[in-house]
């Protein structure tokens, strides 16, 4: 869902993937530009942190109003450079961002409020503790092309509200959506150096990861994520990594076939399958397997493919030729190993260079690429199972662990299975839409990444926790200070017995032995 970009002479060309139209040429940021941007962000961040939370939330509220007013303009930019249908740009990108602004307005005061830390130990009862959240400082964000507005916007808003400055490097395939975000934030009142966009290529992203930032949030491939993690580890730079998935859909024998098949078709083909939360593996109980696969094929054939600006379009193009070749490779590998192509399975050159027909595959196995590697295209591979235990085993048989879904009429059965699937997010009777729930944390386990965005856990990724301790007896020397010696050791033994021994007699004796802790002379 993004723009094919060619980099020549430090120029990035954004190209509409549906038509091939060159949308804009932009200078590619070089490492020196990254260093300067991070330096400017570091200079501006302290003043931004000192502004009141009320002011920062007023900026978010104005941003929300501006985006609501200009939703058509922004959605058209998203569609033009990503290829996704205009309706999807509105619902899966702009709606998500608007709701994130609502969530931040609702939750930021409570989240950032200083909280008391109770002390359970007798020895610390004369102290009062507080938990304080402080911004990291400068947060670098490297965002992908498949959701070029929603992903950087939700992460940037959370960072800005908590008092950070942000340097964003969007995908070179979709820079225009990030520039729209920057324009809106600037007009809403975010200072120029508190939020900066660096349009660039992989070298620009690598320079940002190696720069003097305080934290990095990256969304992209596993291979790139591992390289970033290695770079970050060298200087203990904290990171959040969202690295994609191979999300399973489990359809039980009591599922509503019409609902589940529609969910599978939408879950596999939304954004032409170019979604980290896309249904990439579908497991269906053998009792309903034939009926389910037939329904999916029938519904897939009815989808309208074309330019995302056409209101009739259901599925747009893939982002570029390389992604199309990956999809072709997975489908042909499955076909060669005995999978049945129920519909699709071919390019559609008459529509444009990057179109591929929505494809439903039956009788796939875990020996096929389409069930092991991330396809990131409009392919729905379906495999039968015979028991709930087998379905759980198949769902967990992956290096990824981002999201999953379970489909059943029995809510308790669905929840029981969902709890056994190894993933960061599992939905029952829906797919993908958890990303649009602002309160829900987003992120995975295993090769799907580290950390979370969205929700309170996402806010926690934007701040450092600081513990403040206030002593209520500042003129009294503490019992555990120097000097030690035999009396101190004997009293310490007694105190431990007084507080933790099981027998009452030992506790009483221990209390008597502990008295010298208080009365002894301290240096």
């Amino acid at each position: 869902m993004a723009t094919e970009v060619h980099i020549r002479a430090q120029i990035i060309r954004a190209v509409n993937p549906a038509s091939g139209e060159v949308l804009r040429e932009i200078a590619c940021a070089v490492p020196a530009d990254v260093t300067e941007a991070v330096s400017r962000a570091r200079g501006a961040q302290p003043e931004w942190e000192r502004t009141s939370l009320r002011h920062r939330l007023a900026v978010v509220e104005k941003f929300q109003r501006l985006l609501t007013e200009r939703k058509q303009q922004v959605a058209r930019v998203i569609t033009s450079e990503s290829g996704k249908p205009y309706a999807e740009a509105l619902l899966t990108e702009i709606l998500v961002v608007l709701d994130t602004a609502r969530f931040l307005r609702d939750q930021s005061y409570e989240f950032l409020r200083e909280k008391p830390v109770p002390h359970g130990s007798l020895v610390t009862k004369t102290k009062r503790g507080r938990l304080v959240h402080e911004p990291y400082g400068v947060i670098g964000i490297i965002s992908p092309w498949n959701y070029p507005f929603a992903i950087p916007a939700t992460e940037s808003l959370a960072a800005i509200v908590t008092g950070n400055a942000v340097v964003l490097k969007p995908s070179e395939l979709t820079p225009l959506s990030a520039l729209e975000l920057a324009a809106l934030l600037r007009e809403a009142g975010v200072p120029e150096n508190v939020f900066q966009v660096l349009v660039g290529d992989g070298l620009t992203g690598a320079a940002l990861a190696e720069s003097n930032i305080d934290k990095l949030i990256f969304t992209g491939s596993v291979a790139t994520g591992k390289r970033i993690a290695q770079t970050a580890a060298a200087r203990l730079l904290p990171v959040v990594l969202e690295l994609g998935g191979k999300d399973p859909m489990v359809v039980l024998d009591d599922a509503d076939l019409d609902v589940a098949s529609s969910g599978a078709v939408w879950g596999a083909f939304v954004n032409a399958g170019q979604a980290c939360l896309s249904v990439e593996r579908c497991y269906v109980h053998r009792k309903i397997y034939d009926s389910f696969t037939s329904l999916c094929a029938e519904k897939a054939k009815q989808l309208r493919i074309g330019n995302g600006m056409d209101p009739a379009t259901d599925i747009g193009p893939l982002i570029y030729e390389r992604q199309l070749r990956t999809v072709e490779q997975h489908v042909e590998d499955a076909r060669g190993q005995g999978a049945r192509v129920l519909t699709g399975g071919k390019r559609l050159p008459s529509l444009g260079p990057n179109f591929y027909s929505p494809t439903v595959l039956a009788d796939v196995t875990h020996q096929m690429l389409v069930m092991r590697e991330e396809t990131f295209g409009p392919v729905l591979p379906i495999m039968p199972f015979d028991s709930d235990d087998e379905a759980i085993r198949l769902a967990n048989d992956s290096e990824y662990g981002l999201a999953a879904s379970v489909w059943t009429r029995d809510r308790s059965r669905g929840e029981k299975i969902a709890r056994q699937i190894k993933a960061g997010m599992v939905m029952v009777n829906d797919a993908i839409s958890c990303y649009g729930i602002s309160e829900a944390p987003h992120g995975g386990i295993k090769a799907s990444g580290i950390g979370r965005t969205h929700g309170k856990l996402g806010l926690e990724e934007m701040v450092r926790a600081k513990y403040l301790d206030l002593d209520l007896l500042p003129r009294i020397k503490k019992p555990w200070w120097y000097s030690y010696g035999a009396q101190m050791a004997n009293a310490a033994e007694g105190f431990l017995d007084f507080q933790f021994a099981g027998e009452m007699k030992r506790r009483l004796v221990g209390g008597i032995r502990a008295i010298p802790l208080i009365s002894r002379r301290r240096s």
Side-chain angles (χ1 to χ4, degrees), residues 57-71 74 94 97-98 101-102 105 184 187-189:
L57 288 176
V59 170
V60 170
E61 183 176 6
K62 184 175 181 181
F63 168 83
Q64 187 184 46
R65 289 199 307 270
L66 290 170
L67 179 56
T68 302
E69 293 166 2
R70 299 174 192 173
K71 57 185 177 294
V74 177
I94 292 176
V97 176
L98 290 173
R102 186 272 313 160
R105 291 171 56 200
L184 289 167
E187 187 171 347

Side-chain angles (χ1 to χ4, degrees), residues 239-463:
V239 295
V240 175
L241 304 175
E242 200 274 85
L243 306 180
K246 192 68 183 172
D247 297 350
M249 173 178 180
V250 176
V251 185
L252 304 180
D253 53 352
D254 65 344
D256 183 308
L257 286 182
D258 182 45
V259 171
S261 58
S262 291
V265 168
W266 181 79
F269 301 144
V270 65
N271 195 26
Q274 299 169 121
C276 298
L277 299 176
S278 174
V279 173
E280 289 236 352
R281 297 178 287 148
C282 188
Y283 303 102
V284 181
H285 197 283
R286 198 174 300 275
K287 288 181 180 178
I288 59 172
Y289 182 75
D290 290 338
S291 299
F292 182 87
T293 54
S294 295
L295 279 171
C296 288
E298 177 185 333
K299 292 176 179 180
K301 291 174 183 176
Q302 297 171 9
L303 296 174
R304 296 160 297 188
I305 309 157
N307 191 309
M309 297 303 280
D310 183 344
T313 292
D314 296 311
I315 299 180
L318 292 166
I319 186 63
Y320 59 174
E321 169 71 20
R322 189 172 72 187
Q323 193 59 43
L324 195 151
R325 289 198 301 268
T326 297
V327 174
E328 280 188 322
Q329 179 191 17
H330 286 196
V331 171
E332 292 311 309
D333 173 77
R335 197 197 312 256
Q337 295 191 59
R340 289 184 292 129
V341 180
L342 302 184
T343 187
K346 59 181 181 298
R347 293 191 186 213
L348 300 172
S350 62
L351 298 178
N354 299 310
F355 288 90
Y356 194 86
S357 57
T359 301
V360 178
L361 301 176
D363 303 341
V364 295
T365 70
H366 275 209
Q367 282 67 52
M368 301 173 183
L369 293 176
V370 76
M371 296 295 277
R372 307 299 303 180
E373 300 179 4
E374 193 171 28
T375 304
F376 231 58
V379 180
L380 174 60
I382 309 175
M383 178 176 176
F385 67 85
D386 293 299
S387 68
D388 290 1
D389 287 343
E390 183 186 9
I392 295 166
R393 178 181 60 78
L394 290 170
N396 290 334
D397 182 20
S398 173
E399 66 172 325
Y400 294 98
L402 185 58
S405 63
V406 181
W407 300 73
T408 175
R409 297 176 194 263
D410 185 337
R411 255 193 322 193
S412 61
R413 182 186 179 195
E415 182 177 349
K416 180 181 178 182
I417 292 174
R419 289 179 180 274
Q420 297 177 74
I421 294 177
K422 306 300 182 184
M425 302 160 283
V426 186
M427 305 193 76
V428 179
N429 293 323
D430 198 2
I432 297 181
S433 62
C434 55
Y435 186 79
I437 302 170
S438 297
E439 291 75 10
H442 174 75
I445 61 174
K446 299 191 284 188
S448 288
I450 301 169
R452 295 293 183 270
T453 59
H454 296 202
K456 290 185 178 179
L457 292 181
L459 282 173
E460 287 181 2
E461 297 283 5
M462 303 298 177
V463 294

